[in-house]
């Protein structure tokens, strides 16, 4: 534990070998920098690139393919040793399989690296600067160059660049909320006030913000050794949960691998017991594995996810981890911050009270006018006070900016008032210039008011105008009259009552209320030359005229209520977690719909029924506002109960640590939890969440590091668009997988029939690879562009235990129905090709051994013609090509039917997704190139096919389409029926 | 109140589930789950389905596959209808013709020792068996005599039975196995320095028969296709002389065209016998015999049986 806060300045200078006036020498600083490393948080330990790469090489189906490749090489070795005629075929096959694994691995690695790079470049976008004294000179340095012993200067608005022991401070206040959760700015001075370094006032911590004042200090800790750094490294130890889509893909890989291995082993046994040679059986096994494994699918999934990630990035959701794209879609609870995410993070005037009436002001982001009634003379008076009794000013040179976007020098409330006045009255600075200020008492915490005295802009009126604003009750105390419709009326108890009611009402809305009053100083007592003295207050400060109230709030972003209601209809529970006061939190929650208008908290019910809180049936209350203090004393069960029983929950006055507790509580309910956060201390919660969402603007680097996603505009509504994209991609991945799995059966059946019926091989292993990695790739990616079939935001989030990506229905429908249809269609083509060349189907059965015998060169066909081995091989390749073409043609139909799972294709629109057509044309184009362009390269086993064979499978393609339309029709007609249960995937 | 208790227990159960999902399932759990999946006595389900559900799904698939099989059968039927029973739709892949030798036992190496009859007897038996169909008697009985030197073109209906020309075994003279039942394998035993006299038949059946009839394709375009043999690799002198029967190793035009198994029932492929009268002994001699004639291709690398045949002779004493 450090005791730097106890040391005197001299001791510090000695300890760190520095001088307060001169700072470190550059050479010394460089030395320390070399020893301690840069002043930045080490990002969570990244997996070494090579490990990432190797993971891609063995992940998913790669193992199966490696097994296939090894088997190929083994059989090559055996054949070579036996001196067989063409052992090299197997060598090549092994090489091709290995290449497939390596290339898809490289591809996946590249995709992942690309999305990681986006993030890396993002975090480097804004390098922090620090003002340092080195070599007795003030220098601007990049903050990561700071070393222990450096003397740094900070001023209001800066982020503290390291842990700093203050040696000089002037009105310095820091916002420690990201560290301790305290939302009030903490004063900082040079005095040692507390034994605990975290509590003492003379240390400012890395990554907190200096809100106001200036200070100078010695850097005592940098980088990971800072207090924040230690917390952040703690956070990185919170394990990363597997994303839902990763679980789904794993499930799918297991399923397909299970099918591949069981069929492979089964047929290995069958072929051995059918007295095939072991070597042949192994080669069959390879074929079965290759046919069963959708080699291109994982790459396709990656591409689809990154396409969605790109789309989301356009909508301001930057996804760090590709898989998080889908996680957002399955989110069932969002724990959202209030400030900045749900709200605009800017005080804005929300209500006014004058003439005994409450007026609402426009609080939207881009207000240009205010609609409330401004005809009353009271308003004129009030607006004058608002304009004049205000120290905030626009930074010069922003005349062309919209008022709401201009930068203001001044505190939040004054800024709000300034902008409010500017919107209504225009050119406030000019008004102030015309009403010259002669005296001013700024706001302080004892007076709780602010006062100024002005000349008026009316040349005939020589009176001074005294304007005052402050805490309403204090202002009222100083008033004896109240302005009603421009007339001063005595402030009787009735009027005071009205004031109280209005004040309570505005305060009850969680708004910060200010009272305004004025007084025209009589000309005879206060002539032109009257010397106003603010210290002795030689002017009246009581018996003023009360004019009105203004209340301010950090208003919700205008897009948020809509987004929250979308979440609600999408079955997503939005929980607000904020450090703010419960009343403000509840007010904002109500105004954005997190607590709906009709629902009540336990306290509301108690108030309505006029009974003690304890007697209320807790189940009747749908909403709950939980205070951080209550949460502290709660057992896990109690927390679970709250999370379970209330659909609308607000956690107020919570510390960032409690966020983690809340997230864990939600996860115990089986929910997929999204968490938004910006502070360093949010990072454990962000990590723990199924998807952590960091704020791009307000977020700290640690938060961004821990998060899976970064909201570039800090806007809650962006999350909702992300949810929509996530759900869409889940649906579309289902379609992609269904599409891809289907043809696996058409690739597998040939092997099975070849083994059982001993016909000439209908399709080659290489040909299969050309389908999986050639013709099918673009179409399956094209399905990622498919529009949603229905309003996906009206559905509940998927249940991660029940709604699997690849469910039984999908596998069965693809494998046993459409897949079998495809196989039949392809076999018709196969038999047609052979029959038209002289081998009738009956001749083909049981012919395998002789057919493949190299020595038999007078093989007789059904017509008595005799074929040499090579002529037969060529015919066999023609068969491969025909089978390939048939599968391709039927895959076109498969692609079209996969556009929808429930709706008719005609409802979905055949041409709405243009990319599908790109897919279809690419598919046919690639097939044409392979068949006619590469048909003469014998190693690829393609031959130029007679053109009519392209159409043999067309009836089956049509059948697939019609059958699927019928399937969908029945599903739509008879929801919940046997058909629906078994056929809807 | 029960409900309340359940709610309280719930988190624990959930936790168990997540734990199980994280892969810390024990084998016993897994086995139990598996058993439950195979047969759940409570809900009376097997593999997650009740008997009724299984019945329905099996019925569905029965109907589905029956229909699909029907469609397959129908397509095949239609396809077969379009085929002619006499001649294949396409014959482009089977021509130009390939070549094969007899005797053919285990590959294209003929190796024997003259002094050991057991080494050549299998070749002799194979030849006798092969030539049985060419016995003069059989040929005279079944086939007609044709006019030599011209194609035997038989017009008329496609479905009419076609006549075949006689190819008598005796045409092979020294290689017919009539005078010397050992086909020369045993000869030369006393005259050691001389060549042994094994012989080979090259059978040659052209493929595309009706095609010939229509277009008038003639093997060698009117000039009979002939055969020659040479050493494929190595010293030319290893093979000094070869005799060819019949007609100096030509395939007579009258045996063509072939009209296919269906109508040309008794067709016997014409043969050319080669009599290797002087081959280097105790030596592996690779020999290539090729067809020569117009339209014959005998130099394709990928197909070593197209218009030619390569085999090895190894004759020991």
């Amino acid at each position: 534990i450090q005791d730097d806060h106890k040391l005197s300045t001299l001791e510090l200078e000695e300890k760190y070998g520095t001088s307060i006036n001169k700072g470190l020498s550059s050479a010394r600083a460089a030395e320390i920098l070399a020893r301690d490393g840069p002043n930045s948080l080490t990002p969570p330990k990244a997996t070494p690139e090579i490990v990432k790469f190797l993971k891609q090489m063995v992940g998913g189906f790669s193992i199966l393919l490696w097994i296939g490749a090894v088997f190929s090489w083994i059989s090559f070795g055996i054949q070579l040793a036996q001196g067989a005629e063409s052992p090299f075929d197997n060598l090549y096959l092994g090489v091709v399989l290995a290449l497939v694994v390596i290339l898809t691995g490289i591809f996946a690695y590249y995709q992942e690296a690309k999305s990681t790079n986006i993030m890396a470049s993002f975090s480097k976008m804004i390098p922090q600067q620090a003002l340092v004294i080195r070599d007795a000179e003030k220098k601007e340095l990049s903050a990561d160059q700071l070393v222990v012993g450096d003397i740094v200067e900070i001023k209001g608005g800066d982020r503290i660049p390291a842990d700093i022991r203050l040696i000089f401070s002037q009105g310095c206040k820091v916002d420690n909320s990201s560290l301790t959760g305290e939302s009030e700015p903490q004063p900082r001075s040079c005095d040692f006030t507390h034994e605990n370094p975290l509590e003492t006032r003379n240390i400012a911590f890395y990554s907190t913000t200096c809100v106001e004042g200036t200070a100078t200090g010695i850097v005592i800790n940098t980088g990971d050794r800072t207090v924040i750094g230690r917390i952040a490294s703690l956070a990185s130890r919170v394990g990363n949960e597997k994303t839902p889509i990763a679980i789904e893909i794993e499930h799918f890989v297991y399923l397909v691998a299970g099918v591949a291995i069981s069929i492979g082993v089964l047929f290995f046994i069958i072929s051995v017991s059918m007295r095939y040679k072991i070597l042949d059986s192994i080669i069959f096994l390879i074929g079965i594995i290759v046919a069963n494994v959708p080699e291109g699918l994982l790459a396709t999934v990656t591409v689809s996810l990154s396409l969605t990630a790109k789309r989301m990035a356009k909508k301001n959701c930057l996804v760090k981890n590709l898989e998080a794209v889908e996680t957002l879609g399955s989110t069932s609870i969002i724990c959202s911050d209030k400030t900045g995410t749900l709200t605009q993070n800017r005080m804005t005037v929300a209500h006014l009270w004058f003439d005994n009436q409450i007026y609402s002001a426009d609080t939207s982001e881009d207000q240009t006018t205010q609609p409330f009634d401004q005809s009353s003379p009271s308003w004129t008076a009030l607006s004058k006070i608002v304009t004049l009794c205000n120290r905030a000013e626009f930074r010069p040179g922003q005349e062309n900016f919209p008022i709401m976007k201009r930068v203001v020098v001044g505190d939040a409330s004054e800024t709000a008032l300034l902008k409010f006045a500017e919107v209504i009255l225009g050119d406030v600075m000019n008004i102030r210039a015309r009403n010259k200020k002669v005296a001013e008492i700024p706001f302080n915490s004892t007076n709780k008011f602010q006062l100024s005295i002005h000349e008026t802009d009316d040349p005939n009126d020589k009176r001074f105008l005294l304007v005052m604003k402050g805490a309403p009750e204090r202002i009222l105390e100083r008033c004896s009259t109240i302005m009603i419709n421009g007339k001063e009326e005595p402030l009787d108890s009735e009027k005071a009552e009205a004031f109280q009611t209005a004040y309570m009402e505005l305060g009850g809305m969680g708004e910060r209320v200010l009272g305004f009053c004025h007084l025209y100083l009589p000309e005879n007592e206060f002539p032109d030359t009257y010397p106003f003295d603010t210290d002795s207050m030689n002017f009246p400060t009581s018996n003023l005229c009360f004019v009105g109230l203004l209340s301010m709030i950090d208003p919700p972003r205008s897009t948020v209520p809509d987004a929250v209601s979308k979440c609600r209809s999408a079955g997503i529970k939005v929980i607000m977690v904020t450090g703010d006061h419960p009343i403000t939190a509840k007010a904002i929650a109500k105004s954005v719909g997190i607590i709906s208008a009709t629902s009540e908290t336990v306290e509301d019910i108690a108030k309505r029924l006029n009974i003690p809180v304890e007697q209320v049936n807790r189940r009747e209350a749908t909403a709950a506002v939980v205070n951080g203090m209550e949460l502290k004393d709660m057992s896990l069960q109690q927390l679970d109960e709250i999370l379970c029983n209330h659909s609308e929950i607000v956690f107020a006055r919570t510390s960032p640590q409690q966020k983690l507790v809340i997230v864990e509580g939600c996860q115990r309910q089986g929910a997929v939890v999204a968490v938004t956060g910006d502070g360093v201390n949010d990072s454990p919660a962000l990590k723990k969440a199924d998807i952590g969402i960091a704020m791009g603007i307000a977020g700290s680097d640690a938060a961004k590091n821990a998060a899976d996603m970064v909201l570039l505009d800090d806007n809650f509504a962006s999350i909702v668009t992300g949810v929509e994209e996530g759900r869409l991609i889940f649906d579309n991945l289902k379609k992609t997988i269904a599409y891809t799995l289907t043809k696996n059966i058409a690739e597998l059946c040939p092997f099975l029939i070849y083994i059982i019926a001993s016909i000439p091989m209908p399709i080659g292993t290489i040909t299969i690879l050309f389908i999986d990695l050639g013709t099918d790739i673009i179409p399956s990616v094209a399905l990622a562009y498919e529009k949603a079939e229905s309003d996906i935001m009206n559905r509940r989030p998927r249940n991660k235990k029940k709604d699997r990506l690849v469910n039984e229905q999908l596998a069965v429908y693809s494998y046993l129905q459409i897949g079998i249809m495809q196989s039949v269609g392809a076999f018709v083509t196969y038999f047609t090709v052979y029959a038209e060349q002289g081998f009738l189907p009956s001749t083909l059965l049981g012919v395998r051994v002789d057919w493949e015998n190299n020595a038999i060169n007078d093989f007789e066909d059904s017509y008595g013609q005799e074929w040499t081995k090579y002529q037969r091989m060529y015919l066999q390749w023609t068969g491969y090509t025909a089978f390939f073409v048939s599968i391709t043609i039927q895959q076109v139909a498969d692609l079209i039917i996969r556009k929808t799972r429930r709706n008719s294709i005609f409802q979905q629109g055949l041409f709405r997704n243009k990319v599908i057509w790109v897919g279809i044309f690419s598919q046919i184009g690639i097939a044409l190139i392979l068949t006619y362009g590469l048909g003469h390269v014998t190693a690829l086993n393609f031959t130029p096919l007679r053109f009519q064979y392209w159409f043999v499978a067309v009836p089956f393609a049509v059948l697939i389409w019609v059958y699927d339309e019928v399937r969908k029709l029945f599903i739509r007609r008879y929801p919940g029926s046997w058909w629906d249960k078994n056929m809807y995937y | 109140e029960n409900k309340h208790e359940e709610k309280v227990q719930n988190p624990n159960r959930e936790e168990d589930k997540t734990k199980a999902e994280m892969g810390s399932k024990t084998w016993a759990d897994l086995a139990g789950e598996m058993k439950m999946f195979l047969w759940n006595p409570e809900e009376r389900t097997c593999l997650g389905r009740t008997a009724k559900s299984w019945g329905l799904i099996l019925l569905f698939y029965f109907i589905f596959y029956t229909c699909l099989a029907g469609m397959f059968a129908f397509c095949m039927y239609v396809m077969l209808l379009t085929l002619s029973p006499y001649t294949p739709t396409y014959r482009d892949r089977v021509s130009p013709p390939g070549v094969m030798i007899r005797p053919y036992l285990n590959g294209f190496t003929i190796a024997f020792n003259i002094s050991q009859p057991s080494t050549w007897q299998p070749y002799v038996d194979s030849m006798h068996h092969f030539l049985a169909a060419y016995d003069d008697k059989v040929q005279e009985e079944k086939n007609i005599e044709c006019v030599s030197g011209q194609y035997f073109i038989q017009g008329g209906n496609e479905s009419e039975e076609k006549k075949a020309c006689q190819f008598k075994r005796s045409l092979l003279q020294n290689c017919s196995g009539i005078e010397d039942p050992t086909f020369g394998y045993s000869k030369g035993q006393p005259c050691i320095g001389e060549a042994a006299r094994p012989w080979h038949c090259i059978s040659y059946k052209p493929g595309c028969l009706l095609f010939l009839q229509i277009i008038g394709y003639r093997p060698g375009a009117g000039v009979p296709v002939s055969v020659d043999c040479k050493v494929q690799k190595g010293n030319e002198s290893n093979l000094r002389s070869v005799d060819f029967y019949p007609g100096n190793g030509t395939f007579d035009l009258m045996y063509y065209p072939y009209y296919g198994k269906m109508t040309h029932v008794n067709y016997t492929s014409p043969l050319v016998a080669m009599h290797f009268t002087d081959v280097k002994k105790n030596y592996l001699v690779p020999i290539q015999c090729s067809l020569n004639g117009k339209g014959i291709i005998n130099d394709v690398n990928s197909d070593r049986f197209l218009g030619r045949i390569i085999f090895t002779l190894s004759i020991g004493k």
Side-chain angles (χ1 to χ4, degrees), chain A residues 31 56 95 119 295 318 332 335 354 547 579 602 686 742 899 983:
Chain A
E31 234 170 74
Q56 300 288 359
V95 170
M119 200 48 222
E295 287 85 4
L318 192 67
S332 52
C335 292
F354 55 85
V547 180
V602 173
L686 289 175
T742 305
K899 277 165 70 76
M983 294 295 185

Side-chain angles (χ1 to χ4, degrees), chain A residues 13 107 141 148 150 179 233 308 348 358 416 452 474 480 491 506 623 680 834 901 909 952 955:
Chain A
E13 275 187 316
F107 178 77
L141 276 185
V148 166
D150 264 332
L179 186 63
S233 61
T308 307
T348 305
I358 291 179
S452 58
R474 294 292 181 90
S480 56
L491 186 64
L506 295 177
V680 175
Y834 276 83
R901 295 185 295 149
V952 178

